[in-house]
Amino acid sequence: MPNNTKKISFSAYQFDLHYIKQKTKMRLGKKVSEDVYAIEWSFKFVYELLKEIFDNEAVGRKMNINDEWFMLLDDLRQDDKFIYGKFKSAAYGTKNNLVHADTLESRENPKDKREGEESHTHFLIRKEDGFMLLQTTDIKMSRSKVQNYIEKYGEESIAYSKYTDINICSLVNLDLLDEIKKLDKINATVIEINAKEKSDENEFVQDLQDEIESIQGTHVTLEFKARYSREGLGAMIPFIQKYKGQKGVTSIKVLGEQSGSSRSFNVDSYSERYRPTVKIDANNSPISEDVYDKIKNIGVNRDLLKRGD
């Protein structure tokens, strides 16, 4: 009997809305107001933003990338607790022969060069706090691509709102804190930044990217050195979250000591991920209705985010 299920992967994120608010403080005995960067969550705004994009004709909401592949919002739904749906994407522009996995025999590919195999990336956003799940399907359908897509086709709605931009940031698995607590010392945190994907919110990263381009470089590696006692190791988590998932930040590594030996680990390995078992169709593709049920179950059982809104 053929297997009609398979495991698929999802990464967890926090969906944030950024805005500028005024903060009053005392300076030389006088009250002074200044603009500060703030973060909050509004499921109503996010759903209306996505709905406005989805209401456009399919061709009008299709984002082409380098005339090599495209993506578009292909389904959008909501219920009392969640916003959910899927993106459609396909790579095109090449036409290679097909090879059989068992016999290794090749034959001509009948598809047109402008055609590509359809792929779907399912997502879910919890209304209560902005917890988000995004299916890991293709390296091209990354968190940053989804964020760029929403910002591009929702640009007008964002511009007329109180928000300056959106940010979908990675959630760090609790195992990372456990591993950090095992260290006797943290010697350094190494952050690699490249110039390809421009940061649009972190001025420090932006300045570094400009410097990289000025010397015709491709990336820069920063090493933040600090020695934390065992009791203070938890302070590393907010520092890591500040840079993790930012545009242009390609990797973050923690270097430390444990039991007299040096130890390092990549933060990306500790992202919060889920692998539900879902039903598949005759083409071995996940059945969306079952995928939605499975990720809703994850959303129901996952603890609320500790937001500072």
Side-chain angles (χ1 to χ4, degrees):
M1 184 176 179
N3 186 10
N4 61 352
T5 63
K6 71 175 182 180
K7 287 185 177 291
I8 60 175
S9 297
F10 283 85
S11 293
Y13 301 93
Q14 177 172 310
F15 200 123
D16 289 334
L17 300 170
H18 294 170
Y19 68 102
I20 303 296
K21 71 175 182 180
Q22 281 202 330
K23 184 177 181 180
T24 303
K25 64 180 183 178
M26 298 298 294
R27 182 179 296 167
L28 299 177
K30 295 182 179 181
K31 287 185 177 181
V32 179
S33 296
E34 63 178 6
D35 291 338
V36 295
Y37 206 48
I39 297 172
E40 71 174 18
W41 166 245
S42 168
F43 77 83
K44 291 181 179 179
F45 176 79
V46 170
Y47 178 74
E48 289 303 320
L49 179 65
L50 294 173
K51 183 70 164 57
E52 185 171 318
I53 296 171
F54 187 63
D55 284 345
N56 291 318
E57 293 292 329
V59 174
R61 63 177 188 269
K62 175 173 71 80
M63 185 169 78
N64 293 309
I65 295 92
N66 301 324
D67 200 29
E68 295 176 352
W69 68 284
F70 69 84
M71 62 176 288
L72 76 155
L73 182 59
D74 190 52
D75 188 22
L76 179 66
R77 310 183 194 185
Q78 69 165 334
D79 58 24
D80 292 341
K81 295 182 178 180
F82 304 107
I83 301 166
Y84 57 100
K86 62 184 176 182
F87 292 92
K88 180 190 292 185
S89 61
Y92 58 89
T94 60
K95 181 181 177 181
N96 298 317
N97 285 347
L98 300 175
V99 58
H100 196 284
D102 299 323
T103 66
L104 300 183
E105 291 184 6
S106 296
R107 67 181 177 92
E108 185 178 350
N109 192 334
K111 82 176 186 72
D112 187 89
K113 285 184 180 179
R114 300 295 293 175
E115 293 179 315
E117 288 194 8
E118 186 176 272
S119 177
H120 290 104
T121 303
H122 299 82
F123 71 90
L124 174 137
I125 305 170
R126 190 163 59 191
K127 288 184 174 182
E128 189 168 1
D129 59 355
F131 170 75
M132 181 176 183
L133 292 172
L134 181 65
Q135 186 181 354
T136 306
T137 51
D138 187 306
I139 192 170
K140 294 175 180 178
M141 279 299 300
S142 61
R143 171 209 62 83
S144 61
K145 284 294 189 297
V146 171
Q147 180 172 314
N148 290 344
Y149 177 88
I150 296 172
E151 288 178 330
K152 177 178 180 178
Y153 290 95
E155 180 179 13
E156 188 171 328
S157 295
I158 296 173
Y160 282 102
S161 73
K162 74 173 187 177
Y163 302 111
T164 57
D165 57 87
I166 68 170
N167 186 46
I168 301 172
C169 53
S170 301
L171 291 178
V172 177
N173 193 301
L174 291 176
D175 290 343
L176 175 62
L177 181 57
D178 291 337
E179 292 301 316
I180 287 178
K181 286 180 176 179
K182 291 177 184 177
L183 298 175
D184 300 315
K185 293 179 181 177
I186 290 181
N187 297 329
T189 304
V190 180
I191 300 176
E192 182 181 277
I193 297 170
N194 69 33
K196 289 183 179 180
E197 186 180 17
K198 291 295 184 182
S199 175
D200 55 10
E201 58 186 272
N202 191 309
E203 292 183 3
F204 175 65
V205 175
Q206 288 174 355
D207 290 343
L208 282 172
Q209 289 179 321
D210 290 341
E211 290 296 329
I212 295 169
E213 289 188 334
S214 72
I215 60 172
Q216 298 183 338
T218 58
H219 69 279
V220 64
T221 300
L222 304 177
E223 185 171 331
F224 295 86
K225 291 192 173 183
R227 291 185 179 273
Y228 291 88
S229 66
R230 182 180 294 277
E231 291 75 16
L233 295 180
M236 286 298 300
I237 296 296
F239 177 80
I240 290 170
Q241 288 180 319
K242 180 179 179 181
Y243 291 98
K244 189 174 183 348
Q246 292 285 332
K247 293 180 182 178
V249 177
T250 53
S251 73
I252 303 175
K253 292 182 180 179
V254 176
L255 310 179
E257 296 177 19
Q258 184 176 343
S259 302
S261 300
S262 60
R263 186 186 173 196
S264 66
F265 47 86
N266 195 319
V267 171
D268 288 338
S269 302
Y270 292 87
S271 295
E272 186 175 332
R273 294 186 176 94
Y274 299 88
R275 282 179 55 80
T277 299
V278 300
K279 296 177 181 178
I280 55 176
D281 60 21
N283 294 319
N284 204 35
S285 297
I287 298 172
S288 292
E289 295 301 327
D290 189 57
V291 174
Y292 293 150
D293 287 342
K294 296 300 171 56
I295 57 179
K296 283 183 185 181
N297 187 54
I298 294 172
V300 167
N301 290 291
R302 205 278 186 190
D303 291 341
L304 290 176
L305 299 175
K306 296 179 181 178
R307 304 186 68 98
D309 299 350

